[in-house]
Amino acid sequence: MSKTNYAELTETARRVRIDALKAIAAAGSGHPGGSLSAADIITTLYFNVMNIDPRDPQMEDRDKFVLSKGHAVPALYAALGERGFFPVEDMMTLRKIDSPFQGHPNMRKVPGIEMSTGSLGQGFAAAVGMATANKIDGKDGRVFVLTGDGELQEGIIWEAAMSAAHRKLDNLTAVVDLNGLQIDGRVDDVMKVRPVEGKFRRFGWNTLSVDGHSFPELIEAFESARHTKGVPTVIIANTVKGKGVSFMEDQAGWHGKAPDQEQLAQAISELGGDN
Ligand SMILES: Cc1ncc(C[n+]2csc(CCOP(=O)(O)OP(=O)(O)O)c2C)c(N)n1
Ligand SMILES: [Mg+2]
């Protein structure tokens, strides 16, 4: 894919959203809201930014992505499948007993998954460790980590953030999926985490703020992060939970609920059809 083929990225993200929703509907459980809000960020990483090879998932010096908000894994399975790590149909066994495609990512079961996550906050800290290891080992690979805004309420995030700045981890780029909602309501009501950008800046990070559904803005931010030396970068991605499906958008009720067949059909039609 050429660096600026936004139409192709849009089409890929459309398929990622549909794959994710189909798998969640087939499972009868899962997390559509956070999968849809992260779909454009994850698509940008896997189809534009990251140095990876689906034929060689363990490639030396590859870039690594950690989905710290592990519940959004349907979007990650879909991106990995669309990118060629495995046939996309395989992920339709989501959450079934004995399937490698469980409701949270398992690095021992699915090619392309770099870290097992699900307990919020831990993936972020693991990514700081992975970026530290690359520095110590002199490896070129970069580390990317995606966290939710509700997830920022976890204390481990801020210890790891402090450590990343202290260690000058300019090979680490974090993205915050700032959709304003968590499991059961607005982040502002449960426990306010704003101002997110100001907090990270005070913790010594380079900060950028983008529309998390704009491929040009995301690509420019990742490029700017790559060229920022001596400090880690966080990209605050302003997103809509449930993005792309009218009845799921900005609704906490769609955090962890599967669509039924009728709702799935409507969602797929709103996303432009199953092709
Ligand atoms: C340590 C921990 N506490 C609680 C949960 C349960 N949980 C799963 S998702 C979620 C809300 C996360 O909200 P946010 O990070 O904003 O994710 P998003 O809106 O992107 O789905 C919670 C509390 C968890 N997975 N881990
Ligand atoms: Mg959120």
Side-chain angles (χ1 to χ4, degrees), residues 61-100:
D61 278 339
R62 69 190 179 281
D63 292 343
K64 295 180 178 175
F65 173 67
V66 177
L67 182 67
S68 195
K69 41 168 276 185
H71 57 281
V73 76
L76 176 55
Y77 293 150
L80 289 170
E82 295 287 348
R83 190 71 172 75
F85 281 84
F86 46 79
V88 177
E89 307 82 72
D90 290 3
M91 70 172 285
M92 298 306 157
T93 59
L94 179 73
R95 289 175 170 249
K96 297 270 168 21
I97 288 179
D98 293 335
S99 168

Side-chain angles (χ1 to χ4, degrees), residues 149-150 177 179-182 187 241:
D149 48 359
D177 186 345
N179 58 31
L181 292 173
Q182 55 187 94
V187 177
K241 199 154 175 166

